[in-house]
Amino acid sequence: MSGLLAGKRLLVTGVITDQSIAFSVAKVAQEEGAQVVLTGFGRLSLVERIAKRLPKEAPVIELDVTNTEHLAALEGKVREHVDGLDGVVHAIGFAPQSCLGGGFLDAPWEDVATALHVSTYSYKSLAMACLPMMGRGSGVVGLTFDATLAWPVYDWMGVAKAGLESANRYLALHLGDRGIRANLVSAGPLRTMAARSIPGFDQFEDAWTQRAGWSLTDQEPAARACLALLSDWFPATTGEIVHVDGGYHAVGA
Ligand SMILES: NC(=O)c1ccc[n+]([C@@H]2O[C@H](COP(=O)([O-])OP(=O)(O)OC[C@H]3O[C@@H](n4cnc5c(N)ncnc54)[C@H](O)[C@@H]3O)[C@@H](O)[C@H]2O)c1
């Protein structure tokens, strides 16, 4: 098998539709020679149906990333399919409705706690659950939405992403001596199920569509960046955030 990821074994979380960034990651990974195992949350039969649309059907393991029993069982279930992992993709985000769409001042702590648990803390939880299967040269990749700025309607999800960006640096720090890298891709807005759940998401869309080269429906540029970071072509890059946003973060309006 040839390709950028020939012989690599990847665990990809976060597939729920074929619009999911994770679906694109899994698809391109297989095209580049990787063996892919998926995890799915909640609607497992739906995820299994989507997994059949990949170039090669991938096995699906149930994982609620806030469930400690699921996390403890993950290694055993992954080892039923592959004998180790070269890469782990965290493509998971969730915030209750109160936390989004302008609700920043009123969202109760219980809802904010859920957003932070699923969207921030889980990056570390997933990495730790996979650690026994990972060796030197392997890596973890997650997805953020530029958290250096406050965005209208993103509210507590923006805070969760700021935490994720910091957690990425700490993960890089704590896994570095094992030769394991941790990096994020900062994607521009893409029409996925998670994005559609944000009231007022179209405000982002309008700003980005004027940018050269940005498509709201093309998940592949973000997916390719995730996979490049897991390939052998970024062997000394960790704690990094690679922007795949059509240059939005760098260019004034
Ligand atoms: N779509 C965008 O505009 C955009 C931009 C930048 C970053 N991101 C990030 O990309 C990642 C993937 O999101 P997406 O846009 O592909 O949307 P998506 O809705 O396709 O994927 C989100 C995934 O999170 C999973 N999930 C939610 N709660 C979970 C839990 N408790 N345990 C395990 N999985 C859980 C869902 O099942 C779903 O598969 C998220 O971190 C998101 O914040 C998205």
Side-chain angles (χ1 to χ4, degrees):
M1 179 67 90
S2 60
L4 186 71
L5 300 166
K8 301 269 189 215
R9 302 150 299 173
L10 304 188
L11 185 70
V12 179
T13 65
V15 170
I16 190 69
T17 70
D18 56 9
Q19 304 300 306
S20 294
I21 297 170
F23 181 83
S24 205
V25 170
K27 176 175 170 286
V28 178
Q30 288 184 343
E31 288 166 358
E32 292 297 324
Q35 200 177 342
V36 173
V37 177
L38 300 179
T39 72
F41 167 61
R43 291 180 283 172
L44 260 266
S45 58
L46 173 61
V47 181
E48 280 162 357
R49 216 167 345 126
I50 302 293
K52 289 194 172 72
R53 296 186 197 164
L54 289 168
K56 184 172 182 288
E57 184 177 347
V60 181
I61 295 168
E62 183 175 19
L63 178 67
D64 172 350
V65 88
T66 65
N67 182 320
T68 48
E69 287 167 17
H70 285 188
L71 288 164
L74 186 63
E75 181 186 356
K77 291 185 176 175
V78 171
R79 285 195 189 279
E80 288 173 17
H81 305 287
V82 286
D83 55 4
L85 288 174
D86 303 292
V88 176
V89 179
H90 179 283
I92 294 170
F94 172 75
Q97 282 294 301
S98 64
C99 295
L100 299 161
F104 182 81
L105 297 178
D106 298 319
W109 165 241
E110 293 70 29
D111 287 354
V112 173
T114 299
L116 296 176
H117 196 176
V118 178
S119 313
T120 307
Y121 186 76
S122 71
Y123 187 56
K124 192 258 353 173
S125 311
L126 178 68
M128 289 307 289
C130 294
L131 203 53
M133 297 179 276
M134 300 176 76
R136 297 192 82 78
S138 63
V140 184
V141 167
L143 285 138
T144 188
F145 187 76
D146 188 0
T148 57
L149 301 170
W151 300 100
V153 311
Y154 208 47
D155 292 306
W156 285 102
M157 196 63 190
V159 179
K161 289 302 190 193
L164 178 69
E165 293 181 5
S166 181
N168 180 58
R169 290 186 282 271
Y170 278 96
L171 207 54
L173 174 69
H174 287 281
L175 299 185
D177 58 355
R178 300 168 196 243
I180 300 173
R181 295 163 296 123
N183 292 292
L184 296 178
V185 168
S186 183
L190 293 161
R191 285 189 190 142
T192 63
M193 191 181 270
R196 279 196 299 268
S197 74
I198 303 172
F201 183 76
D202 50 338
Q203 293 179 40
F204 294 124
E205 296 191 348
D206 295 344
W208 253 270
T209 42
Q210 289 144 23
R211 303 283 152 160
W214 190 252
S215 162
L216 297 160
T217 53
D218 184 5
Q219 275 66 321
E220 201 163 308
R224 281 175 175 255
C226 291
L227 295 169
L229 285 164
L230 294 177
S231 77
D232 294 335
W233 288 90
F234 282 93
T237 298
T238 191
E240 187 59 273
I241 302 175
V242 175
H243 291 83
V244 181
D245 63 351
Y248 194 95
H249 72 287
V251 180

